[in-house]
């Protein structure tokens, strides 16, 4: 019986050490975005067409451009609807608030939905780290909060229409 306890205790200690080491090596989900080299979010649905947001650094600011599909007699084109320069720190703070770094690798699909919304998010952050997420009627946690915040920033600092 004493041998069992010693073996069990050693195994428990080993598991604990492996978990602690994994958190030390890979983090515990507390990664932060410190810089944005580029980012792009697009979403579309059958009924409402598509929208694309581009996030491009310009000095100490980030230019947010919002393009929407506009149907013409020749098909559709993407037309710039809003553009604004926003403070880079404010934008990065919003990305971290929404835990965008955790989106990397997200792939969601609501099977059976025939006319829903799809999205794709790509970004290069922290001087070379890539974030890629996509889905159809499934979104990463805080996706909608991120989109609301981006639209608020566009509305507050709107430059062009």
């Amino acid at each position: 019986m004493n041998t069992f306890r010693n073996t069990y205790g050693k195994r428990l200690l080993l598991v604990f050490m492996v978990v602690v080491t994994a958190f030390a090596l890979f983090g515990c989900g507390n990664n932060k975005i410190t810089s944005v080299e580029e980012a792009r979010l697009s979403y579309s649905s059958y009924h409402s067409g598509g929208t694309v947001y581009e996030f491009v650094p310009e000095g100490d600011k980030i230019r947010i451009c919002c393009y929407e599909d506009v149907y013409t007699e020749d098909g559709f084109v993407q037309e710039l609807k809003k553009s604004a320069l926003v403070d880079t720190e404010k934008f990065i703070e919003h990305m971290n608030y929404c835990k965008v770094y955790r989106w990397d690798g997200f792939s969601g699909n609501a099977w059976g939905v025939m006319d829903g919304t799809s999205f794709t998010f790509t970004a290069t952050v922290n001087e070379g780290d890539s974030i890629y997420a996509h889905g159809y009627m499934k979104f990463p946690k805080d996706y909608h909060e991120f989109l609301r915040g981006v639209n608020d920033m566009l509305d507050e600092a709107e430059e062009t229409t």
Side-chain angles (χ1 to χ4, degrees):
M1 185 71 155
N2 197 18
T3 304
F4 174 75
R5 285 186 194 146
N6 287 340
T7 304
Y8 178 75
K10 288 178 184 175
R11 286 183 184 164
L12 189 60
L13 179 62
L14 180 62
V15 168
F16 177 74
M17 289 173 56
V18 167
V19 169
V20 168
T21 302
F23 277 116
L25 290 175
F26 303 110
C28 54
N30 289 330
N31 293 320
K32 296 285 185 201
I33 295 171
T34 57
S35 67
V36 177
E37 288 72 54
E38 64 180 346
R40 185 175 199 269
L41 170 65
S42 62
Y43 64 87
S44 63
S45 70
Y46 178 77
H47 295 291
S48 64
T51 301
V52 174
Y53 293 87
E54 291 181 343
F55 311 95
V56 182
E58 288 186 16
D60 64 342
K61 304 279 187 185
I62 298 266
R63 177 162 303 278
I64 302 175
C65 294
C66 176
Y67 300 91
E68 291 182 356
D69 288 344
V70 175
Y71 294 95
T72 67
E73 59 188 42
D74 298 324
F76 75 89
V77 295
Q78 287 193 329
E79 184 176 287
L80 180 65
K81 290 296 185 183
K82 293 181 181 180
S83 173
L85 278 173
V86 300
D87 181 68
T88 297
E89 300 235 355
K90 180 179 179 180
F91 182 72
I92 290 174
E93 183 179 302
H94 182 62
M95 291 180 83
N96 285 322
Y97 177 78
C98 295
K99 299 175 184 73
V100 171
Y101 208 99
R102 293 183 184 178
W103 295 5
D104 188 39
F106 181 89
S107 177
N109 191 336
W111 297 104
V113 177
M114 303 300 280
D115 58 357
T117 300
S118 63
F119 85 96
T120 301
F121 179 81
T122 59
T124 304
V125 299
N126 298 351
E127 300 180 14
D129 291 344
S130 295
I131 301 172
Y132 177 76
H134 66 97
Y136 179 71
M137 290 307 295
K138 294 233 180 199
F139 306 91
K141 185 174 183 194
D142 295 320
Y143 168 87
H144 296 291
E145 179 71 24
F146 175 73
L147 193 54
R148 263 190 304 277
V150 166
N151 284 316
D152 289 347
M153 284 184 244
L154 273 170
D155 290 342
E156 291 169 9
E158 188 173 342
E159 292 178 356
T160 60
T161 55

